[in-house]
């Protein structure tokens, strides 16, 4: 009887052990299945992205992330729209849980639409920003500080030199935007037209040299020729002109102007004289070309115009003539007035609830090689040294010209002024209205200077 009891106890332990072993085996199968499905993946998706700039390894993890939608706004022409949409499709393939809704328009309607959206607390998650607008939007608490997103690894800035990004950082360390590319102001030239008239303006040439060249072509041709095309960029041109005099448009505090009255009188006199003597296009002709989306330079109706360096890509695409870049005219005995600047930036609006997804998008445009091959430096020479070196061996034509120009212009630059203060848009509007009166001979340079300075001071104060 004792023996039977012993057998029963042994059998009971054997059965319990067997059940335990079977349960353990079943648990292991479940664990392995979870690992294979990405539920327990030890790889850190953010680290992968930061290290290689390509997020293809993150797709398995991204599949388990919450699906989100972000809105992205930018300005530009059709070529930029097409390239950006193609880049967005690549981003969505890398991050299948993030859907991007694009919002794009031309420059003229872009800021009006953003103002309406800001008033309605409905700004897009990501806003394409211009340097002249950063302080205005930041002062209204419409932008997110991106520094925490950089610190957390969502935006990798390891390969971006300070010169390309410092201007987007406020005095308190707030990062208002990430530069999408670098450019510099310059003079776009119709090389074929200048060569035809044996004109070669080497860096160091003066404003008088430029005006003489326009007269030379005007006197030698029977064809329609409008000389220099200001392109509605007189305001930017005066920024350089003031800096060449050792001054600046705004004072360091941003509550007043930073140039002498005589400097602006001199500049306005040059503009008015060039138009009156037909060394530059009249205001009517200039606006006809702008409204029609055409280019005097590309059609050979002008020999030179004021531009941001990356804009020659669009001019070249619409022209059969060779378009090149030259440094800004200089002032004898003056200072270097140009500077390398972010051409435009991406900021995250304070209305966004998707900061991390938006940061991933910005990081993708900053560091991904394939997406930058699509974008072709249209927004400026890439700020990432890795991307820049990668593209340098690929790009050609006008795009290669922008790369070469940034190297050239480094010898003719000085440190950038602080970001333009809030109210800059109104100051710019005043300047453009006053320039229009000059071109129509409705005011003297002295009168125009007085009008602008009074209006600008009232706006800033």
């Amino acid at each position: 009887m004792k023996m039977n009891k012993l057998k029963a106890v042994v059998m009971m332990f054997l059965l319990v052990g067997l059940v335990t072993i079977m349960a353990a085996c079943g648990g292991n199968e479940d664990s392995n299945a979870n690992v294979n499905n990405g539920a327990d993946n030890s790889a850190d998706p953010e680290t992968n992205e930061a290290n290689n700039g390509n997020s293809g390894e993150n797709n398995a993890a991204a599949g388990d992330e919450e699906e989100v939608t972000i809105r992205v706004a930018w300005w530009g022409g059709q070529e930029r729209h097409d390239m950006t949409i193609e880049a967005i499709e690549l981003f969505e393939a890398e991050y299948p849980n993030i859907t991007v809704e694009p919002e794009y328009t031309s420059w003229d309607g872009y800021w009006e639409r953003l103002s309406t959206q800001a008033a309605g607390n409905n700004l897009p998650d990501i806003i394409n920003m211009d340097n002249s607008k950063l302080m205005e939007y930041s002062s209204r608490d419409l932008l997110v500080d991106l520094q925490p997103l950089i610190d957390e690894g969502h935006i990798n800035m390891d390969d971006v030199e300070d010169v390309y990004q410092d201007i987007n950082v406020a005095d308190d360390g707030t990062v208002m935007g990430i530069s999408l590319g670098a450019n510099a102001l310059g003079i776009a030239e119709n090389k074929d037209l200048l060569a035809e008239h044996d004109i070669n303006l080497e860096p160091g040439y003066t404003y008088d040299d430029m005006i003489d060249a326009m007269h030379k072509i005007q006197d030698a041709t029977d064809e329609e020729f409008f000389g220099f095309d200001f392109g509605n960029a007189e305001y930017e041109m005066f920024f350089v002109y003031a800096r060449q005099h050792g001054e600046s448009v705004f004072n360091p505090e941003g509550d007043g102007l930073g140039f002498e009255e005589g400097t602006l009188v001199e500049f306005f006199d040059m503009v008015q004289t060039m138009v009156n003597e037909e060394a530059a296009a009249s205001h009517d002709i200039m606006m006809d070309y702008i409204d029609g989306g055409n280019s005097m330079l590309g059609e050979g109706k002008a020999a030179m115009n004021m531009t941001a360096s990356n804009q020659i890509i669009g001019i070249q695409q619409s022209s059969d003539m060779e378009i090149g870049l030259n440094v800004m005219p200089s002032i004898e005995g003056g200072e270097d007035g140009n500077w390398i600047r972010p051409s435009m930036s991406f900021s995250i609006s304070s209305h966004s609830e998707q900061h991390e997804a938006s940061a991933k998008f910005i990081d993708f445009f900053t560091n991904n090689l394939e997406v930058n091959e699509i974008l072709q430096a249209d927004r400026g020479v890439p700020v990432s040294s890795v991307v820049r070196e990668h593209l340098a061996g690929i790009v050609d034509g006008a795009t290669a010209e922008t790369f070469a120009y940034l190297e050239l212009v480094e010898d003719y630059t000085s440190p950038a002024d602080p970001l333009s203060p809030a109210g800059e848009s109104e100051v710019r509007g005043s300047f453009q209205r006053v320039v229009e009166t000059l071109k129509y001979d409705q005011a003297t340079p002295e009168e125009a200077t007085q009008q602008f300075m009074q209006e600008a001071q009232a706006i800033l104060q």
Side-chain angles (χ1 to χ4, degrees):
M1 195 67 185
K2 290 182 180 179
M3 184 64 68
N4 288 338
K5 273 189 178 182
L6 180 60
K7 286 183 179 179
V9 171
V10 171
M11 287 298 295
M12 182 182 69
F13 277 104
L14 287 174
L15 286 171
V16 170
L18 180 60
V19 170
T20 302
I21 291 169
M22 290 177 65
C25 290
N28 284 339
E29 286 177 6
D30 288 344
S31 297
N32 289 334
N34 285 339
V35 170
N36 292 335
N37 288 332
D40 188 30
N41 195 337
S42 60
D44 181 355
E46 300 301 341
T47 302
N48 285 343
E49 180 185 358
N51 286 339
N52 57 34
N54 277 317
S55 307
E57 298 176 21
N58 304 333
N59 283 349
D64 289 338
E65 294 181 4
E66 178 187 0
E67 292 191 3
V68 298
T69 298
I70 57 174
R71 294 159 53 212
V72 180
W74 72 87
W75 73 82
Q78 191 59 49
E79 186 79 15
R80 179 175 296 164
H81 300 335
D82 293 342
M83 289 189 295
T84 306
I85 288 171
E86 186 179 351
I88 286 172
E89 291 171 353
L90 186 63
F91 172 80
E92 290 178 325
E94 291 282 331
Y95 293 97
N97 65 302
I98 303 176
T99 299
V100 179
E101 293 182 354
E103 299 180 13
Y104 51 89
T105 184
S106 65
W107 169 268
D108 291 338
Y110 181 77
W111 300 105
E112 182 178 349
R113 184 169 71 176
L114 282 189
S115 294
T116 301
Q117 291 172 326
N121 293 319
N122 189 37
L123 282 170
D125 297 273
I126 299 172
I127 309 170
N128 205 165
M129 290 297 298
D130 184 76
N131 291 338
S132 64
K133 307 287 186 180
L134 271 173
M135 287 302 295
E136 176 184 338
Y137 275 70
S138 180
S139 68
R140 295 162 59 194
D141 294 326
L142 293 174
L143 304 181
V144 169
D145 180 9
L146 302 183
Q147 189 59 55
L149 293 165
I150 295 171
D151 294 339
E152 293 165 8
H154 300 298
I155 302 175
N156 176 17
M157 301 293 287
D158 291 348
D159 300 319
V160 179
E161 295 98 326
D162 291 344
V163 67
Y164 296 111
Q165 180 59 20
D166 278 351
I167 199 170
N168 288 338
V169 182
D171 291 339
D172 63 0
T174 298
V175 177
M176 297 174 285
I178 301 298
S179 175
L180 292 172
N183 71 11
L185 297 173
I187 299 295
E189 300 179 329
N190 186 313
K191 288 187 173 182
D192 291 344
L193 188 58
L194 292 177
E196 180 184 339
H197 294 275
D198 196 28
I199 295 172
N200 183 24
L201 296 171
E202 294 285 349
Y205 72 100
T206 65
Y207 289 93
D208 286 340
D209 293 334
M210 178 184 74
I211 294 169
D212 289 344
M214 299 304 98
H215 284 308
K216 180 178 180 180
I217 300 174
Q218 188 76 271
D219 295 341
T221 183
D222 294 328
E223 299 178 4
E224 191 176 49
F225 178 72
F226 304 125
F228 185 85
D229 175 19
F230 281 107
N232 224 13
E234 295 90 350
Y235 179 74
E236 284 78 11
M237 196 168 191
F238 181 63
F239 257 85
V240 174
Y241 194 82
R243 284 164 55 87
Q244 289 172 334
H245 283 79
E247 302 165 5
S248 60
V249 172
F250 302 105
N251 66 21
E253 295 76 25
D255 59 2
L257 300 173
F259 57 87
E260 297 293 330
E261 182 177 328
T263 304
L264 184 55
V265 170
E266 188 179 286
F267 179 79
F268 277 165
D269 182 66
M270 180 180 69
V271 171
Q272 189 176 59
T273 301
M274 286 178 69
V275 172
N276 289 343
E277 294 182 354
E278 298 184 341
S282 70
H283 189 75
D284 284 344
I285 292 171
M286 183 189 76
M287 292 309 299
D288 283 345
Y289 270 85
I290 290 175
D291 293 341
N294 300 317
S295 167
M296 277 185 252
L297 190 72
E299 293 180 7
K301 304 300 183 184
M304 306 171 77
N305 78 355
M306 168 78 186
T307 190
S309 56
N310 61 304
Q311 291 178 352
I312 73 156
I313 297 172
I315 299 172
Q316 185 66 80
Q317 288 168 346
S318 62
S319 178
D320 295 329
M321 299 179 172
E322 185 180 1
I323 308 299
L325 281 166
N326 202 346
V327 299
M328 294 288 296
S330 62
I331 294 174
E332 289 187 14
E335 300 180 14
D336 290 325
N338 213 336
W339 71 101
I340 294 176
R341 59 184 197 164
S343 58
M344 56 189 78
S345 303
F346 268 152
S347 298
I348 298 177
S349 81
S350 58
H351 297 166
S352 173
E353 296 181 355
Q354 305 296 342
H355 293 183
E356 289 190 14
S358 298
K360 288 179 181 179
F361 185 88
I362 294 174
D363 177 80
F364 196 72
F365 269 57
T366 303
N367 295 303
N368 186 280
L369 299 181
E370 187 176 355
V371 80
N372 277 281
E373 288 178 11
I374 294 171
L375 297 172
Q376 286 290 297
D378 171 68
R379 288 175 168 87
V381 175
V383 297
S384 163
S385 59
V386 173
V387 175
R388 195 162 59 245
E389 291 167 9
H390 176 75
L391 285 188
I394 298 175
V395 297
D396 56 13
T399 305
E401 182 87 6
T402 66
F403 279 62
Y405 180 70
L406 277 197
E407 293 184 9
L408 170 66
V409 81
E410 283 182 2
D411 294 331
Y412 301 91
T413 61
S414 55
D417 292 344
L419 282 172
S420 298
E424 189 274 347
S425 296
E426 294 174 74
V427 172
R428 176 191 293 265
S430 171
F431 193 94
Q432 290 173 330
R433 287 191 300 273
V434 168
V435 166
E436 188 173 340
T437 66
L438 277 173
K439 291 182 175 180
Y440 285 126
D441 270 339
Q442 296 172 345
T444 66
E446 291 79 10
E447 291 168 342
T449 296
Q450 284 292 322
Q451 180 183 344
F452 168 71
M453 292 186 73
Q454 289 173 6
E455 291 181 3
Q457 292 284 10
I459 292 167
L460 295 171
Q461 294 176 0

